Amino acid sequence: MRINKYALAGIAGGVAVAIAISRRVAERQPKPPPRGDHDGWHRAPLASLDFETTGIDPLNDRVLSYALISDVGPDVNGLINPGIPIPASSAEVHGITDVLLADAPPPAIGIAIVVEWVQQLIDRGVGLVVFNAAYDLSMLHAEATRWGVPQPDWDRLLVVDPYVIDWGILRGTLGSRKLTDVAAYYSVPLDNAHDAAADARAARGVAYEVGARHPYVAANTLVELMARQRSWFADRAEDWNAYARTVDRPLNDPDGWPLASVLTSPT
């Protein structure tokens, strides 16, 4: 097959146009502010936690794998055999199957490892990064109760939740803000989404970027940041609820951060 010079010129022109369009699209993409040289909580070592689970209900679904990314020592990754079948829809997301977990430790052992690790962070005053903490930490609380594992000292836990902070900064103006979206926005690598270790590292990377790029957020102590995150979470819940009431959708819990309020309310 012969391609004459005019055809080649046409191909080259088409490529040039495609490149120009791609550049214009990239230029229009929203970008975070530049990094600053200010001090703040983002300059201290932070730990990070993430779970892969059987589903999206933090009170009734089960932990299948955990990644505990340390601020100082070796990371801890583990699998848990939940003792129940893994839904096919969940396995399709994270690739964890019943066969893979056949020889994994039971929940009482795995959850105890996670709780002890979290308690050590609490005792050392280290901030724990958890993307969408209301989900993972509520699940940890529910699992600990389910398997008779003593709860960590939740009242002293210092949480950094990039999911909530991102909403507090942008107020939902950029649409979907899953971890993949927020990581891409802050140019944080996330090569293996829905792997607990990869997600936990990316979440911590996003937390550092948020602090480095938003001085008024980084200026808080972690204790002060906890209060701001509770407020932002409540604002986000009420923002959703204003819409949900008009279409008869379930309401979100404004008091459900970092733990679902049903877990912390007096019985």
Side-chain angles (χ1 to χ4, degrees):
M1 177 179 179
R2 298 178 63 187
I3 302 177
N4 62 40
K5 62 181 180 180
Y6 301 106
L8 288 173
I11 293 171
V15 170
V17 170
I19 291 173
I21 292 173
S22 177
R23 286 175 176 169
R24 285 198 293 271
V25 170
E27 289 169 357
R28 289 198 297 267
Q29 293 298 315
K31 293 180 173 61
R35 295 185 186 91
D37 59 0
H38 50 278
D39 290 330
W41 52 261
H42 64 293
R43 292 192 177 276
L46 298 170
S48 187
L49 173 153
D50 190 76
F51 297 138
E52 298 301 330
T53 66
T54 58
I56 60 174
D57 181 347
L59 303 184
N60 295 296
D61 279 305
R62 309 297 174 83
V63 174
L64 302 177
S65 72
Y66 55 87
L68 313 176
I69 308 302
S70 176
D71 59 311
V72 291
D75 300 334
V76 179
N77 302 309
L79 298 173
I80 294 175
N81 185 334
I84 61 173
I86 300 171
S89 57
S90 298
E92 288 177 4
V93 172
H94 46 56
I96 301 175
T97 64
D98 296 314
V99 172
L100 181 64
L101 298 182
D103 296 324
I109 293 176
I111 296 302
I113 291 171
V114 177
V115 167
E116 181 181 5
W117 183 84
V118 169
Q119 185 62 51
Q120 290 175 359
L121 295 179
I122 294 170
D123 292 340
R124 294 191 292 115
V126 174
L128 176 62
V129 177
V130 189
F131 192 89
N132 194 10
Y135 174 79
D136 291 78
L137 296 185
S138 293
M139 177 166 279
L140 179 59
H141 190 296
E143 284 275 60
T145 298
R146 183 175 293 119
W147 302 108
V149 176
Q151 298 286 345
D153 188 355
W154 292 110
D155 290 341
R156 293 195 295 129
L157 179 62
L158 300 172
V159 181
V160 179
D161 186 343
Y163 179 71
V164 170
I165 298 173
D166 178 77
W167 192 92
I169 294 169
L170 296 167
R171 297 285 161 163
T173 57
L174 297 184
S176 175
R177 299 300 275 174
K178 297 177 182 177
L179 178 57
T180 50
D181 303 310
V182 182
Y185 178 73
Y186 284 103
S187 299
V188 173
L190 177 53
D191 298 327
N192 191 19
H194 301 298
D195 170 82
D199 287 355
R201 291 191 184 95
R204 184 169 64 176
V206 169
Y208 284 136
E209 290 295 326
V210 166
R213 295 171 185 271
H214 300 280
Y216 73 98
V217 175
N220 296 123
T221 66
L222 287 179
V223 172
E224 292 168 338
L225 184 63
M226 289 287 292
R228 294 191 74 179
Q229 289 174 105
R230 287 191 178 94
S231 177
W232 285 329
F233 184 88
D235 288 348
R236 184 181 185 279
E238 292 298 354
D239 185 68
W240 161 259
N241 291 346
Y243 164 74
R245 292 184 183 99
T246 67
V247 292
D248 197 28
R249 297 282 295 275
L251 302 182
N252 285 347
D253 176 11
D255 300 318
W257 189 94
L259 294 172
S261 61
V262 67
L263 299 174
T264 58
S265 300
T267 56

